[in-house]
Amino acid sequence: MTGAAARRGKAMARWGIDARLLIFLGPALLVVLALFVYPFLYGVGVSLTPSEGRQGIFSSYAAFFGDARERASIWNTLRIALPVTAICLLLAVPLAYRMRRPIPGQRPISALFVVPMTLGVVLVAQGMLTFLGPAGWFNKALMGMGLVEEPVRLVHNYIGVVISLIIAEFPVVFLLLLGYASGIDPNLERAGRMLGAGAWQRFRRITLPLMMPGIAIAAALSFVATFAVFPSAVLVGEPAGSTRVIALAAWQAAYERFDFSMASAIAITMAAIELLFVAAILFVRSRLYRGPSTGGKG
Amino acid sequence: MGKKRKGLAGGLSAWLVYAAVALFVVLVGGVFLSVLMNSFATSWFGGWLPDGFTGKWYAFAVDEFGLWNVLIVTLIVALSVTGISLLVGVPAAYALARRDFRGKSLVLGLLVLPLLVPPITYGIPLATMLYEYRLAGTLAGVILANLAPALPFVVLVMTPFIEQIDPNLERAARMMGAPTHRVFTRVLLPLAVPGILAAGLLVLVRTVAMFELTFLTAGPNSQTLVVSLYYAAFSAGIRPGQSIDAMAVIYMATTLLLLLAALRFVNPVNMVMRVRD
């Protein structure tokens, strides 16, 4: 026995694992295993345990995909998450590109974009109901300028959720991309200019490709966050109809019908869709240029 | 920035970007000002400005929502989560920064995953599990649930920070005969304080703002500010809208204060996780 233990100890040492490493790293790993990995596996188990009235291990999944209203929640969510991600990127890429060099006041400007992060979903929702509502300042201004005859409906529908998610996600995407864009060596662009490349060509052929890894990460994070939209879909959306998103479907299964098997099945489905999307993006990213963006000397 | 790039296309695209950003600022500013204005309004029907101003909704929020209780719960949850995740996370970050071992990338992957997967996805199974162990609805349950993303966040923020502390300093201390725990408390910790403060404040902000996990696991007496705010907004109509707005303003002031404190230590650019490979 002791011989086996000693052999195991030697193998661990060869792997660079010793008592001190375990003391430092062990507690953190235990927490993640207990509070993330185990619940996840537990959820998979619950989702495969049929609840009353259903039979077969996949019955909760079958019930979710078999019900047109439940199934529609996937499409409802994609219809929100994909455009929001695209809009955030389309706005943030050019802006990060313009702000890639330190300009006077860059820090206050980027701090300004952090402020929406502090607002919180409920404040944004409440504010949108007042500001963008039929009697709000926005509609008043539009009507005052004669742009519209009647108040535009911007809340309690699909558009409301899209707007509130852009407010929440755009700053994250922008700050992430700014980090990547400002890390690109300016000499690369100078070299491009010296070789006769115009502004558009320099952006298209030098900066954009070097920003691509950042864009991929931003797209993945933004999609994952928006695909899980929950509070704003309820508060400024139309939770009984077009914005009945998948997170809401999962929540209703768990806390309104107390069908935890179904709720777990929906949560696992949600995670699977997200991981598929992230994997697809990382796959595309792995085929792009992955070299340094700092430029060599000499 | 150039006199050269003023091609029509370049100028036009620049204007489009500026217009979009201006629209964003107007939107966020309008949203914020509407809430602020309404929280001080006696009533506000259809006019450009409210019919009159009052501070009573703040007093109302304090009484009606049991604001002090909610704030105390929020404080306990946020401070416990921050404390525990620093205590467990900083040593882990140290190990990851200084050591190489088999399976390190697996460990890193395990730590990134809780930050990548949105809370509601694992929050539902986690809440189910906490119900099973009779922890859901208690303060302990809320703290445990919030640790799931907070701890990996601390580890991933602290690892690069510790990496850039010169290991020679530790070696020198050790060579002069300092035992490990003294190297840790006298050399490493003082140098890591700015990083620890930044990570701690960011975790504090994220925990105060964490809606989903607290929402899924909290009971009536363990709701944090965001969650009770959500319930108030969800059941609008029961209470005057102005009092909900007053609560929302209090919430924002709290997170803004924390965030401004955090911004003293970190550049906003590094505020969102920067994934490097």
Side-chain angles (χ1 to χ4, degrees):
Chain A
M1 289 309 261
T2 45
R7 263 205 305 285
R8 198 155 56 232
K10 243 180 234 158
M12 302 267 273
R14 212 168 40 242
W15 289 1
I17 298 172
D18 58 20
R20 190 173 293 162
L21 182 78
L22 289 179
I23 291 171
F24 277 62
L25 203 53
L29 274 180
L30 273 182
V31 171
V32 175
L33 286 176
L35 295 174
F36 180 77
V37 178
Y38 176 67
F40 216 92
L41 298 176
Y42 181 83
V44 173
V46 171
S47 75
L48 295 177
T49 312
S51 47
E52 278 173 54
R54 286 199 293 269
Q55 260 153 29
I57 55 167
F58 291 112
S59 62
S60 291
Y61 292 91
F64 175 69
F65 284 100
D67 184 330
R69 181 174 132 88
E70 296 292 334
R71 199 172 47 219
S73 67
I74 296 179
W75 166 240
N76 287 344
T77 322
L78 282 177
R79 213 168 64 101
I80 294 168
L82 290 175
V84 168
T85 303
I87 293 171
C88 286
L89 284 177
L90 281 179
L91 284 179
V93 170
L95 191 68
Y97 178 70
R98 299 225 163 251
M99 283 182 61
R100 71 198 183 283
R101 302 275 157 272
I103 52 169
Q106 186 184 33
R107 208 171 152 131
I109 293 176
S110 34
L112 192 74
F113 282 106
V114 176
V115 171
M117 293 187 188
T118 68
L119 293 175
V121 259
V122 181
L123 189 134
V124 169
Q126 284 287 103
M128 281 176 61
L129 294 180
T130 317
F131 179 62
L132 300 176
W137 284 334
F138 192 76
N139 268 314
K140 263 194 207 331
L142 285 187
M143 287 194 290
M145 289 187 285
L147 289 175
V148 289
E149 300 266 309
E150 303 215 320
V152 193
R153 254 196 92 207
L154 295 168
V155 286
H156 289 309
N157 56 10
Y158 169 74
I159 299 173
V161 182
V162 168
I163 294 177
S164 83
L165 284 177
I166 290 176
I167 292 178
E169 283 309 309
F170 172 73
V172 181
V173 171
F174 167 68
L175 291 177
L176 198 76
L177 289 181
L178 188 59
Y180 276 90
S182 54
I184 298 173
D185 188 344
N187 285 326
L188 296 174
E189 277 185 71
R190 268 182 221 133
R193 178 188 298 208
M194 217 164 68
L195 295 170
W200 169 250
Q201 257 185 318
R202 291 200 300 275
F203 172 69
R204 175 72 192 77
R205 293 295 171 88
I206 300 172
T207 316
L208 190 63
L210 290 174
M211 277 174 77
M212 258 348 240
I215 293 176
I217 291 292
L221 286 181
S222 164
F223 175 83
V224 164
T226 46
F227 193 76
V229 54
F230 178 74
S232 41
V234 176
L235 296 175
V236 289
E238 195 185 357
S242 66
T243 71
R244 187 175 182 272
V245 291
I246 187 164
L248 188 55
W251 184 80
Q252 284 174 342
Y255 293 85
E256 284 179 5
R257 299 198 301 273
F258 298 103
D259 185 346
F260 288 102
S261 173
M262 175 88 147
S264 297
I266 302 176
I268 302 295
T269 307
M270 199 169 145
I273 295 174
E274 280 165 345
L275 289 179
L276 267 180
F277 187 87
V278 171
I281 287 200
L282 290 184
F283 175 72
V284 172
R285 183 174 181 248
S286 71
R287 313 198 46 149
L288 299 171
Y289 171 78
R290 281 162 61 96
S293 57
T294 45
K297 286 214 171 101
Chain B
M1 298 267 275
K3 302 152 237 159
K4 289 266 175 66
R5 62 141 225 276
K6 280 284 138 69
L8 185 60
L12 193 67
S13 78
W15 281 111
L16 278 176
V17 171
Y18 291 136
V21 171
L23 188 67
F24 183 79
V25 171
V26 165
L27 196 64
V28 174
V31 160
F32 172 62
L33 279 181
S34 301
V35 172
L36 194 65
M37 192 70 91
N38 198 32
S39 75
F40 284 109
T42 47
S43 61
W44 190 0
F45 296 111
W48 277 100
L49 287 175
D51 309 324
F53 293 97
T54 171
K56 73 172 176 192
W57 300 116
Y58 287 85
F60 186 89
V62 171
D63 297 340
E64 183 78 357
F65 295 105
L67 185 67
W68 297 129
N69 244 338
V70 174
L71 278 179
I72 289 170
V73 169
T74 311
L75 205 69
I76 294 176
V77 169
L79 287 180
S80 316
V81 169
T82 309
I84 299 173
S85 49
L86 283 179
L87 215 61
V88 179
V90 172
Y94 178 75
L96 288 172
R98 289 286 191 255
R99 296 282 294 268
D100 235 340
F101 54 91
R102 192 106 162 232
K104 188 174 174 180
S105 53
L106 185 77
V107 170
L108 280 174
L110 209 60
L111 288 167
V112 173
L113 220 50
L115 296 175
L116 206 63
V117 180
I120 200 135
T121 342
Y122 62 89
I124 288 178
L126 180 62
T128 314
M129 184 189 101
L130 289 173
Y131 271 103
E132 204 80 345
Y133 291 95
R134 307 202 177 281
L135 281 168
T138 66
L139 266 179
V142 173
I143 293 170
L144 282 178
N146 275 291
L147 272 179
L151 176 68
F153 182 80
V154 166
V155 177
L156 291 184
V157 169
M158 285 307 294
T159 305
F161 193 89
I162 293 177
E163 265 170 0
Q164 48 104 41
I165 296 176
D166 191 349
N168 284 326
L169 295 172
E170 288 161 55
R171 262 176 232 140
R174 210 159 266 163
M175 219 164 68
M176 293 174 173
T180 305
H181 68 93
R182 194 161 299 159
V183 173
F184 218 74
T185 52
R186 290 294 173 85
V187 179
L188 199 74
L189 276 185
L191 287 171
V193 161
I196 292 177
L197 274 176
L201 280 167
L202 289 178
V203 166
L204 206 64
V205 176
R206 287 167 61 101
T207 309
V208 170
M210 170 55 74
F211 171 77
E212 285 90 347
L213 289 174
T214 313
F215 177 68
L216 291 171
T217 51
N221 293 319
S222 48
Q223 283 174 14
T224 60
L225 196 50
V226 233
V227 175
S228 66
L229 196 54
Y230 173 83
Y231 280 118
F234 183 70
S235 53
I238 296 181
R239 298 190 187 82
Q242 294 98 314
S243 69
I244 301 167
D245 286 349
M247 275 274 278
V249 171
I250 295 173
Y251 168 78
M252 200 201 106
T254 319
T255 47
L256 193 63
L257 268 179
L258 290 174
L259 206 67
L260 286 178
L263 282 177
R264 290 178 58 102
F265 299 102
V266 271
N267 190 322
V269 172
N270 302 331
M271 202 107 162
V272 286
M273 181 185 27
R274 181 154 182 202
V275 187
R276 284 230 155 227
D277 40 345

